[in-house]
Amino acid sequence: MDVIFQFIGSVLGMTGTYAVLLGGLGTYLLLPHRHGAIRPRAAHGAGLIAVAVGLLIYMTYWRPPGLFLPAVFLYIFGAPSLIGAVLTITSRDPVASALWFASVVLSTAGLFLLAEAPFLAAGTIIVYAGAVIVTFLFVIMLAQMEGKADYDRAARSPGWATLTSFIILWCLLATIATLKTGETIGTGIHHLARNRMEPEKQLLRSRDLDAYIGSPDATMTSVVRRAVSPMSQIANLRPAEGEAAANPDAPSVMVHRPNVAGIAASMYTDHLASVAIAGALLFVALVGAVAITNPRMPVRPSSSDPAQSAAIGSIRP
Amino acid sequence: MPPTDIFTLEVLRDYLLIGAALFALGILGFLSRRNLIVMFLSAEMMLQGVALTLVGFGRYHGNWTGQILTIMILTVAACEASIALALIVILYNRRSSLDVTLWQDIREAGVPATPASLITEEAEPVDAAPGPESYPHLTPAGVEPAHPVEPWIERRS
């Protein structure tokens, strides 16, 4: 019994619990549904306020990077991505949903840029913006009701869906917020046993794993050797050159590889099989899409005439 | 001693938190919305959350693996978009609606069906826009010609 009370106490003591509660309540109110006797406009207002407060509490978990501009841009890109996500799933109008999703994609691409992945940022914008524009055309062609359709104004069991997804969010938050870095536990061979027993309690950087090379565990050594190979590193240590090289105490410098060249080199050496599999997947999807959109007339067992069974198959609403 | 990296565990945590929230909201959209296109967008949003997590981890570890896995996610998303949009076109041609509950007759055995009347009752009432509605008045001219009720069915078959 004490364990249960302790658990409840620790749950209530976590700030993130209130962020998740407020966010869940707000999203539930924002989802298209008949909320009893409450007027829709009042429900939307309350939902928006609750989501905003929940997001502000959630943002207290973020720790901006040390430099000023990356810190500003983390909030500039991070907050709109979450706001856009909420509005994507709660808009009555599918066209508005597609536009909000485009804003989510743009903010995510900005976060990619902050994590030094410019090629991926460009690729995401190109691929997803293309996909979203195609989806957008579909929406305009297929859904002419502009949010007046019954099925756009009634969510499917919104209470249970909100509960499920926000419990998942709470669990993820509780796991992520308690992450510890490997440095607090210590690296080195004599920590190996403890580190391998509690791998989920800490996060070692792979470049800090140098100490494990030569450890008695052969599997560990080979895994680590592949992880720290120079080909798969974003930046490699290089001794100082020029005048600084004369000084033996000069710090070595991190030399960054060019982004696209580095990705390509790593992709075609370390991940060659994945490239082949991705190509096969694209080919199969192409064949599948062509096969789905141009179906043959279905021949039912009861009749041998394709045209007749097609007439049975098509349903007039 | 290598220089310290500015991408610390705290910054990685930001990326993981944003990715987790995007993933959870995508789950919510996929479970609760009934429009096929919005469900498709929610699935794409879950992929975005995972991609953010992978890029953050790749940057934290200082290798390219996260970015390469994200490129694989882009590949899978492109395949998913092509297949999903092809399916949406086919399903729309069959029932002339994007409502996914119209397809509940192919649900798992033993799962109760949602009656259509309940869905209509639970729909949110449309807020009338304030102020007088103004539509242009057009003078009807001639006799209305006979036209097919569902032109798209004739075109398909």
Side-chain angles (χ1 to χ4, degrees):
Chain A
M1 206 60 190
D2 280 348
V3 179
I4 297 174
F5 281 132
Q6 257 180 10
F7 175 72
I8 292 175
S10 63
V11 165
L12 290 182
M14 205 172 98
T15 331
T17 308
Y18 304 106
V20 170
L21 277 179
L22 278 173
L25 177 72
T27 321
Y28 173 71
L29 288 176
L30 277 177
L31 275 175
H33 197 68
R34 182 189 287 278
H35 298 291
I38 314 171
R39 279 185 305 120
R41 194 156 296 180
H44 297 171
L48 276 179
I49 292 171
V51 164
V53 176
L55 181 63
L56 282 179
I57 301 176
Y58 195 74
M59 279 163 70
T60 59
Y61 275 90
W62 301 359
R63 292 284 172 271
L67 302 175
F68 175 68
L69 271 184
V72 170
F73 277 105
L74 177 77
Y75 289 104
I76 287 183
F77 290 132
S81 73
L82 296 189
I83 295 170
V86 170
L87 290 173
T88 303
I89 61 172
T90 53
S91 295
R92 277 80 181 139
D93 192 352
V95 177
S97 273
L99 285 179
W100 282 118
F101 179 68
S103 86
V104 173
V105 170
L106 289 181
S107 319
T108 319
L111 288 172
F112 284 170
L113 273 183
L114 282 185
E116 295 179 26
F119 175 71
L120 263 185
T124 308
I125 290 178
I126 292 166
V127 172
Y128 272 102
V132 168
I133 286 173
V134 170
T135 317
F136 191 70
L137 289 179
F138 268 77
V139 173
I140 292 174
M141 280 192 292
L142 297 185
Q144 305 94 340
M145 307 85 155
E146 282 130 14
K148 299 287 190 290
D150 262 358
Y151 56 87
D152 273 331
R153 286 185 288 110
R156 207 169 23 166
S157 53
W160 289 113
T162 315
L163 189 69
T164 312
S165 64
F166 276 83
I167 283 179
I168 292 176
L169 178 60
W170 185 86
C171 294
L172 287 170
L173 175 65
T175 316
I176 293 167
T178 55
L179 270 185
K180 282 192 194 66
T181 173
E183 288 141 27
T184 56
I185 298 177
T187 57
I189 287 179
H190 52 283
H191 290 287
L192 186 63
R194 203 189 329 158
N195 288 342
R196 292 204 66 185
M197 278 168 66
E198 299 183 331
E200 73 276 12
K201 292 267 173 67
Q202 58 159 348
L203 262 178
L204 282 178
R205 283 178 204 264
S206 55
R207 77 170 82 98
D208 294 334
L209 290 174
D210 276 333
Y212 292 134
I213 293 183
S215 75
D217 192 342
T219 319
M220 189 82 177
T221 307
S222 72
V223 167
V224 169
R225 191 162 280 155
R226 189 184 300 168
V228 299
S229 79
M231 181 68 88
S232 55
Q233 299 300 305
I234 285 181
N236 287 316
L237 271 182
R238 191 168 296 168
E241 291 169 0
E243 290 178 21
N247 182 3
D249 295 333
S252 43
V253 288
M254 298 291 273
V255 181
H256 281 255
R257 310 179 70 195
N259 188 261
V260 180
I263 289 182
S266 180
M267 181 185 261
Y268 287 106
T269 52
D270 298 342
H271 303 275
L272 192 56
S274 325
V275 176
I277 293 172
L281 181 67
L282 279 173
F283 180 68
V284 171
L286 175 69
V287 173
V290 172
I292 290 173
T293 39
N294 299 311
R296 296 215 184 136
M297 291 287 184
V299 181
R300 308 228 164 210
S302 52
S303 70
S304 56
D305 184 13
Q308 192 190 349
S309 45
I312 298 170
S314 71
I315 294 161
R316 270 168 188 275
Chain B
M1 189 63 199
T4 50
D5 197 340
I6 60 160
F7 201 91
T8 54
L9 184 81
E10 281 72 34
V11 187
L12 171 68
R13 196 179 287 156
D14 301 342
Y15 279 78
L16 297 186
L17 285 175
I18 298 175
L22 281 184
F23 188 82
L25 288 171
I27 291 179
L28 174 56
F30 194 82
L31 286 180
S32 69
R33 291 307 298 266
R34 294 167 57 205
N35 193 322
L36 280 170
I37 290 175
V38 180
M39 287 172 71
F40 165 69
L41 288 180
S42 304
E44 297 279 332
M45 206 152 73
M46 286 157 71
L47 289 181
Q48 282 287 306
V50 176
L52 208 51
T53 306
L54 285 175
V55 168
F57 266 124
R59 177 66 186 80
Y60 177 73
H61 285 297
N63 57 30
W64 300 104
T65 311
Q67 298 192 28
I68 287 168
L69 282 175
T70 309
I71 292 178
M72 298 300 151
I73 285 187
L74 282 187
T75 314
V76 173
C79 297
E80 184 215 332
S82 68
I83 299 277
L85 292 183
L87 276 175
I88 287 175
V89 172
I90 288 294
L91 297 181
Y92 184 81
N93 276 337
R94 289 276 180 90
R95 301 268 157 104
S96 75
S97 163
L98 290 172
D99 187 2
V100 76
T101 45
L102 290 180
W103 292 93
Q104 54 182 332
D105 49 344
I106 54 173
R107 69 188 179 279
E108 296 256 331
V111 179
T114 315
S117 61
L118 188 70
I119 291 164
T120 321
E121 280 166 20
E122 286 175 351
E124 185 180 81
V126 184
D127 253 358
E133 285 190 41
S134 67
Y135 290 114
H137 287 282
L138 301 178
T139 320
V143 188
E144 186 178 352
H147 52 77
V149 184
E150 297 287 354
W152 53 269
I153 286 182
E154 265 78 19
R155 201 177 63 230
R156 284 297 292 186
S157 58

